[in-house]
Amino acid sequence: MFLAEEHDLRNRIMHVDWGKVEGSAVQSAKSELQSAITSEELPLKCKKCTLEEAAVLRIVQKNPTVTQKEIAAEIGKSERTVKTITVNLQEKGILQRVNGKRNGRWEITDE
């Protein structure tokens, strides 16, 4: 009992479809950056990548000289999150930095 009234509060009943609210900013896994399914091919090693890692790889494919700051702005994450993602991808052997930090570029390994 909630305030001496009977209310049936169950998740299956309280479903709200936010996608139909006019003017709302809806985040969806179907967006171009976060979708795991696009026409661009990612490395075979990336089969178990997160959506964020896949988004970073797609940005790097389009522009290998992109900075972490630019990646963060494009995917809507913090620079620290992007740094963590790129470090994880480097540890997995999927991504590497060539020619240093300042004048370098990102390279996706094909191994």
Side-chain angles (χ1 to χ4, degrees), residues 51-102:
L51 291 176
E52 292 171 335
E53 290 172 339
V56 168
L57 288 173
R58 283 195 183 81
I59 293 168
V60 168
Q61 277 180 332
K62 291 177 188 175
N63 180 9
T65 60
V66 69
T67 64
Q68 289 179 340
K69 187 175 189 174
E70 293 169 341
I71 294 171
E74 196 161 337
I75 65 172
K77 301 289 180 181
S78 69
E79 288 181 53
R80 182 66 201 150
T81 300
V82 171
K83 182 172 179 62
T84 302
I85 291 169
T86 55
V87 167
N88 290 341
L89 288 170
Q90 288 176 13
E91 289 174 354
K92 290 179 183 180
I94 298 172
L95 188 67
Q96 68 181 14
R97 187 75 177 171
V98 180
N99 294 335
K101 293 181 181 181
R102 182 172 295 272

Side-chain angles (χ1 to χ4, degrees), residues 42-45 61 93-96 107-111:
L42 293 176
L44 293 175
K45 289 182 183 180
Q61 277 180 332
I94 298 172
L95 188 67
Q96 68 181 14
E107 194 171 275
I108 299 175
T109 58
D110 294 328
E111 300 172 4

